[in-house]
Amino acid sequence: MNIVEKAAEKLKTLQPERPLPPPVEETMSRHTPHTVERLQERMRVAEPESAAAPAAPPWHVDERALQRAGLLPGEDEAGGRLADEVRRVKRPLLDNANSKGAKPITHGRRIVVTSAVPGEGKTLTAMNLALSLAREPDFEVLLVDADIPKSDITRVLGLQEHAGLMEVLADERRRPTDVIVRTDVPNLLVVPAGKRHPLTAELFGGRRMQYVLEELGGHDRRRLLVFDSSPLLATPESPILASHMGQVLMVVGAGRTRQHEVAQALEGLGESQYVGLILNMSRLPAIENHYYSHYSHYSHYQFQDR
Ligand SMILES: Nc1ncnc2c1ncn2[C@@H]1O[C@H](COP(=O)(O)OP(=O)(O)O)[C@@H](O)[C@H]1O
Ligand SMILES: [Mg+2]
């Protein structure tokens, strides 16, 4: 039995697949606020926008700042190689988002980039993937900085002062769509992380998170959501975030992450999710490790010799 199967077995024992429906009163009390939220949202959307409020100009994405931060390669050969790798990574993700993958995936338009431990290349991958997906003619991309303790995307894009994911999770009066920042990169939108919050894990696991994710997803099938995440083994919110996703890209820093850490991180993922593995920063000429062969995707970055 491979690790994913084991994890699925474990999940089954922990959470019955189809729990009995709760009593009607409970259903009412659980759903009513949600319904109210939606009605309020609709009313707000129906209200005419203040004619005096001009649309903010698109936020400038400073590619040089991204390069200086090591999140974007230069336009040399190494950069070209990374771009090709990312192209390979995005194909199956797009197929899954379009329901053309091998199996149907719920929330296939939600993609999280994660890893077992820090420093494995999550933010680099999330950034390059989002930029690459934004070049697809039929999609727009919402890049969400969901690494709350180490919000590098927010910082490097200069969005530290903007309200973000945490504000809309913590404050029921805020509209999730208000924290979406349009950028000057065509088809790229960003949601900054926002301020740190002591109850991040609770907020990620709360009912409002589902509502926020639905709203951020837009009601347009063209929108893909790419989440940069904290490491699965480092914060309690990271596995919770992953559980909301249809697709999970797991970055493995070759030579730095121990196999048992990768295994432990994968254990929490559900069988119904697409799990892609990326071996990053590898100097290995070829991979002959069956451990990886269980997973749907495998890629091998080498954009820079480290
Ligand atoms: N393939 C790579 N080639 C060169 N540098 C890389 C590569 N992947 C990651 N890095 C660098 O390693 C550091 C950690 O990457 P980052 O994406 O911030 O990791 P994480 O988000 O997982 O903590 C960054 O300085 C980044 O530029
Ligand atoms: Mg990061």
Side-chain angles (χ1 to χ4, degrees), residues 240-257:
I240 299 174
L241 178 72
S243 72
H244 289 289
M245 303 289 134
Q247 309 203 56
V248 180
L249 262 193
M250 173 97 175
V251 184
V252 179
R256 4 173 111 211
T257 320

Side-chain angles (χ1 to χ4, degrees), residues 11-282:
L11 269 176
K12 273 184 207 147
T13 60
L14 293 174
Q15 330 166 333
E17 251 172 35
R18 288 180 196 278
L20 288 173
V24 174
E25 299 83 340
E26 210 184 306
T27 316
M28 290 291 287
S29 62
R30 199 146 35 89
H31 287 183
T32 304
H34 195 72
T35 313
V36 170
E37 240 164 31
R38 284 188 170 283
L39 284 173
Q40 283 170 344
E41 184 77 14
R42 270 192 215 145
M43 280 165 67
R44 273 192 293 247
V45 170
E47 279 167 16
E49 292 286 324
S50 153
W59 192 258
H60 177 54
V61 172
D62 184 349
E63 293 199 358
R64 280 172 188 270
L66 288 174
Q67 283 171 354
R68 278 196 303 275
L71 295 180
L72 202 63
E75 287 175 10
D76 53 3
E77 202 196 319
R81 274 204 307 274
L82 181 82
D84 282 344
E85 290 285 359
V86 174
R87 267 188 207 106
R88 282 203 310 137
V89 170
K90 78 174 169 176
R91 256 327 113 204
L93 300 175
L94 283 167
D95 285 346
N96 290 329
N98 279 327
S99 311
K100 289 184 188 152
K103 57 178 185 178
I105 291 176
T106 316
H107 300 311
R109 290 186 298 128
R110 296 181 193 165
I111 303 163
V112 67
V113 180
T114 192
S115 68
V117 295
E120 299 196 68
K122 290 180 295 301
T123 303
L124 172 131
T125 302
M127 193 74 226
N128 286 276
L129 177 67
L131 288 169
S132 186
L133 286 170
R135 283 185 216 113
E136 292 287 322
D138 303 328
F139 290 97
E140 71 175 9
V141 178
L142 182 67
L143 175 62
V144 183
D145 191 351
D147 186 350
I148 308 306
K150 192 170 173 286
S151 47
D152 284 345
I153 286 184
T154 303
R155 184 178 51 78
V156 177
L157 294 180
L159 290 165
Q160 301 93 317
E161 301 309 319
H162 283 235
L165 182 60
M166 292 319 294
E167 280 76 10
V168 290
L169 286 176
D171 184 351
E172 301 235 334
R173 291 162 306 175
R174 275 188 186 264
R175 286 196 298 194
T177 48
D178 283 351
V179 296
I180 297 179
V181 176
R182 211 157 41 92
T183 74
D184 60 0
V185 174
N187 297 321
L188 180 70
L189 309 162
V190 174
V191 171
K195 295 267 175 301
R196 288 189 196 175
H197 194 289
L199 298 179
T200 301
E202 286 77 1
L203 290 171
F204 273 32
R207 182 179 51 81
R208 186 165 166 81
M209 179 66 160
Q210 293 173 24
Y211 166 73
V212 168
L213 290 176
E214 275 172 33
E215 291 300 309
L216 292 181
H219 302 284
D220 179 352
R221 296 197 54 79
R222 288 176 65 244
R223 185 177 293 171
L224 301 171
L225 276 68
V226 175
F227 293 79
D228 188 21
S229 163
S230 50
L232 286 165
L233 303 183
T235 68
E237 65 266 21
S238 178
I240 299 174
L241 178 72
S243 72
H244 289 289
M245 303 289 134
Q247 309 203 56
V248 180
L249 262 193
M250 173 97 175
V251 184
V252 179
R256 4 173 111 211
T257 320
R258 296 196 183 91
Q259 188 157 325
H260 75 87
E261 291 173 321
V262 181
Q264 198 185 335
L266 288 169
E267 263 181 28
L269 303 175
E271 175 110 299
S272 59
Q273 293 171 303
Y274 170 90
V275 180
L277 230 65
I278 291 175
L279 191 64
N280 188 23
M281 302 178 281
S282 171

